[in-house]
Amino acid sequence: MKDNFPKALTPHFITNHPNEKIILYEGSINISDDNISDENNRTNQEGKISFDWFPTPMIQFESSRNLRIINSFDQTSKRISIGSKQGSILVSLTENKTTVIDNEITETCTGIVKNPIIIIPEPTNLNLDHVLFHLVNFCKFNGLWLRAENTQKSWDGRQILEANNWRVIIERIHDFKELDEELFSLGGYAITAIGKLEKIDKSSFPPEEAEELLDALHYFFSFVKGAWSSPILPIGLDAEDNKVWEKWEAPNIDYWRSTRSWFNGDGESLSNLFPGFWDLWQDSDLQQPIKLAIHWYVESSKKVASIEGSIALQQIALEMLSWVVLVECESRFTEADFNNTRNFNAQKKIEELLKFYGIPICIPSHLSHLVGLSTSYTLSSGPHVITWVRNKVIHGNFKNRYKLLALSTEETRETWELGKLYLELVLLGMFKYQGYHFDWTQKNYTIGLQTGELVPWITLTP
């Protein structure tokens, strides 16, 4: 039976354990001062380029250096090259070190690569057959069964996303469980999934199209995870599986954290979500607000600006999306309507947005502390609570400060939870998602054990 399962993708890079440095290149490196073209200024050293994780993900280089380069270390910008056809790469030197062992002097320098590195072995009119990528710190998901080549291992870890002639295959690595346990214990970063981009009709495509899709997947996977999770180190191959293009870059990736979001590991939810997400992404007027909304969603989910500041971020995102959906896309209201703050305050804008997607505006009964807060201050709806708390944060007069500091930890936490839930549901609605989501604000939420709830804009037929 296992022999009938498709073979798993072969990663070009792996992390057997969290935070392992990924070596991208080892060999000869030419180093020169930036903005100086004099050939006498160049020096050739042995070195390496790697993807490093700390203090934040980065592309780093390390090289032995001669005395002449050390003497010019006061110039922090250098250029390195690793081949005559690759051009030069701007780097920022971070450290130089001289060690003496048994009367032998070793002089090294390290630096951070400032810009993405594109590797093209043979510059031509380049078209790709498919692209492989590596996904960092993504969550567990189930899917189709697959098998590891030349082993008896099989697992249900493949999911296929399709939209507008694009096919994206993602596969959870076969030892995900062990690696996830190590991440839980140690923290940090690891490659947890492998992916492949290709056209459904098998046509070739230029690297620029792959880069656009990879950028979109950065936001897509991060929205699913509730933290920044990104494809890294994409490799373009031709129809004969020859490597013809690579991109070395360190995108924004979050240190591993246990997160709660609308997604509960059902791979079908990813396939359901992707077409609507990609349709909006390709709309030049909507791509920017989608990026902003997911950015604010992720950052508020992490509580980067404290829980109070994160509530403010949630309201910013919801107000922006109310304008985008109700004014720009659906023409439910005019600009004059929305600019009339007397009739259309923030509370009403968010309420109208939620109503458009059939999302209840009443305070969920299981958020008991918010129910009590709404009674104490006569707050009529969930959006009313969120905007009331946000106003106490932003407008810091004595009266507002007094009320803000009087809020209990539970009242503040439940306000944040409700704002996060609203933002998740609105984005799912914009992406025309037709499936189940998890209301993780309910205290009986257990990852992987429940199917979840059908999104409110769907009516089940008997």
Side-chain angles (χ1 to χ4, degrees):
M1 174 67 82
K2 291 182 180 180
D3 292 339
N4 295 326
F5 296 154
K7 289 190 297 184
L9 298 171
T10 302
H12 282 246
F13 305 104
I14 60 173
T15 50
N16 292 309
H17 302 283
N19 310 317
E20 286 184 345
K21 182 180 293 189
I22 301 172
I23 303 301
L24 304 176
Y25 171 83
E26 287 186 286
S28 177
I29 294 180
N30 289 299
I31 307 177
S32 63
D33 287 330
D34 188 25
N35 298 323
I36 300 179
S37 59
D38 184 0
E39 287 295 326
N40 294 326
N41 177 57
R42 299 179 180 274
T43 184
N44 186 279
Q45 308 288 343
E46 289 299 305
K48 61 184 177 183
I49 298 176
S50 60
F51 192 108
D52 207 353
W53 303 105
F54 292 106
T56 58
M58 71 185 81
I59 305 296
Q60 188 178 64
F61 92 98
E62 179 179 338
S63 177
S64 302
R65 305 190 301 163
N66 62 22
L67 185 61
R68 179 170 61 81
I69 294 294
I70 289 176
N71 287 338
S72 64
F73 189 77
D74 56 330
Q75 185 170 353
T76 57
S77 290
K78 301 287 183 183
R79 286 196 175 272
I80 63 173
S81 58
I82 58 175
S84 59
K85 296 178 181 178
Q86 306 307 326
S88 62
I89 303 160
L90 186 63
V91 300
S92 177
L93 298 186
T94 56
E95 180 184 17
N96 77 315
K97 180 166 53 178
T98 301
T99 58
V100 181
I101 302 176
D102 296 331
N103 294 322
E104 290 190 1
I105 300 175
T106 302
E107 299 160 332
T108 61
C109 69
T110 58
I112 300 171
V113 177
K114 293 184 176 181
N115 301 314
I117 302 175
I118 304 295
I119 305 295
I120 304 175
E122 294 293 336
T124 59
N125 185 14
L126 187 61
N127 278 297
L128 310 176
D129 179 76
H130 59 281
V131 171
L132 296 177
F133 64 86
H134 309 77
L135 187 55
V136 177
N137 284 7
F138 194 55
C139 46
K140 181 180 179 180
F141 60 92
N142 60 26
L144 303 173
W145 282 85
L146 65 157
R147 61 182 173 87
E149 191 172 11
N150 301 323
T151 75
Q152 295 299 310
K153 292 182 177 178
S154 60
W155 65 102
D156 60 339
R158 169 178 282 192
Q159 198 59 45
I160 300 174
L161 322 178
E162 294 184 341
N164 294 350
N165 201 31
W166 277 112
R167 177 181 291 123
V168 181
I169 300 172
I170 55 170
E171 296 179 356
R172 189 180 78 246
I173 61 172
H174 66 80
D175 55 350
F176 176 91
K177 183 176 184 295
E178 294 79 7
L179 194 56
D180 190 55
E181 289 173 351
E182 285 192 73
L183 283 167
F184 181 84
S185 176
L186 301 174
Y189 307 86
I191 293 171
T192 57
I194 309 300
K196 178 181 179 180
L197 314 179
E198 62 183 3
K199 289 296 183 80
I200 294 174
D201 65 3
K202 300 300 182 182
S203 61
S204 61
F205 52 92
E208 293 77 14
E209 289 188 14
E211 290 181 280
E212 180 186 2
L213 180 51
L214 288 166
D215 184 35
L217 289 174
H218 169 66
Y219 285 89
F220 178 84
F221 291 131
S222 298
F223 173 60
V224 172
K225 167 76 172 175
W228 293 115
S229 177
S230 184
I232 65 168
L233 305 176
I235 297 171
L237 300 104
D238 62 18
E240 287 74 42
D241 270 348
N242 298 309
K243 189 189 301 183
V244 294
W245 176 85
E246 288 185 75
K247 186 175 183 180
W248 300 346
E249 183 181 23
N252 184 16
I253 307 170
D254 274 329
Y255 191 87
W256 185 92
R257 65 184 69 230
S258 179
T259 58
R260 297 186 298 172
S261 78
W262 66 272
F263 179 68
N264 196 44
D266 180 8
E268 286 295 324
S269 297
L270 303 177
S271 299
N272 187 320
L273 179 68
F274 182 68
F277 169 86
W278 182 242
D279 281 345
L280 285 194
W281 184 271
Q282 290 187 293
D283 188 318
S284 58
D285 293 326
L286 294 177
Q287 186 180 123
Q288 182 195 54
I290 291 302
K291 283 184 174 182
L292 285 172
I294 292 177
H295 170 77
W296 287 325
Y297 166 72
V298 170
E299 295 301 316
S300 63
S301 296
K302 299 187 301 180
K303 306 185 186 117
V304 292
S306 77
I307 194 167
E308 295 84 1
S310 296
I311 292 168
L313 285 180
Q314 291 167 347
Q315 179 174 327
I316 291 170
L318 288 167
E319 281 197 71
M320 178 193 70
L321 293 179
S322 71
W323 181 283
V324 170
V325 172
L326 300 177
V327 178
E328 296 178 13
C329 294
E330 302 295 334
S331 300
R332 290 294 185 97
F333 302 97
T334 66
E335 291 188 21
D337 292 332
F338 258 52
N339 286 329
N340 185 341
T341 56
R342 181 179 296 275
N343 295 328
F344 258 90
N345 59 18
Q347 173 192 340
K348 182 172 175 58
K349 291 174 182 176
I350 297 171
E351 287 178 348
E352 292 295 335
L353 176 66
L354 299 180
K355 290 176 182 177
F356 179 78
Y357 290 111
I359 302 168
I361 66 171
C362 60
I363 300 169
S365 59
H366 62 271
L367 298 180
S368 57
H369 296 93
L370 284 195
V371 173
L373 180 66
S374 67
T375 301
S376 298
Y377 289 99
T378 319
L379 307 175
S380 59
S381 66
H384 197 177
V385 172
I386 291 170
T387 55
W388 185 88
V389 173
R390 177 264 182 193
N391 288 340
K392 303 300 173 284
V393 174
I394 299 299
H395 305 295
N397 58 47
F398 175 80
K399 187 176 181 179
N400 282 342
R401 295 197 308 271
Y402 178 83
K403 290 181 179 179
L404 179 65
L405 293 173
L407 292 176
S408 68
T409 300
E410 292 79 10
E411 289 168 337
T412 307
R413 174 178 52 79
E414 289 187 358
T415 303
W416 170 82
E417 289 179 348
L418 186 59
K420 177 176 162 69
L421 179 64
Y422 284 160
L423 191 47
E424 287 176 339
L425 287 172
V426 167
L427 284 167
L428 289 172
M430 292 183 69
F431 301 147
K432 295 181 171 57
Y433 175 72
Q434 305 287 310
Y436 289 87
H437 78 99
F438 262 77
D439 180 0
W440 50 268
T441 66
Q442 300 192 43
K443 303 306 181 271
N444 62 353
Y445 170 92
T446 304
I447 293 177
L449 297 184
Q450 295 99 352
T451 304
E453 301 175 6
L454 202 65
V455 289
W457 47 89
I458 295 179
T459 301
L460 282 175
T461 56

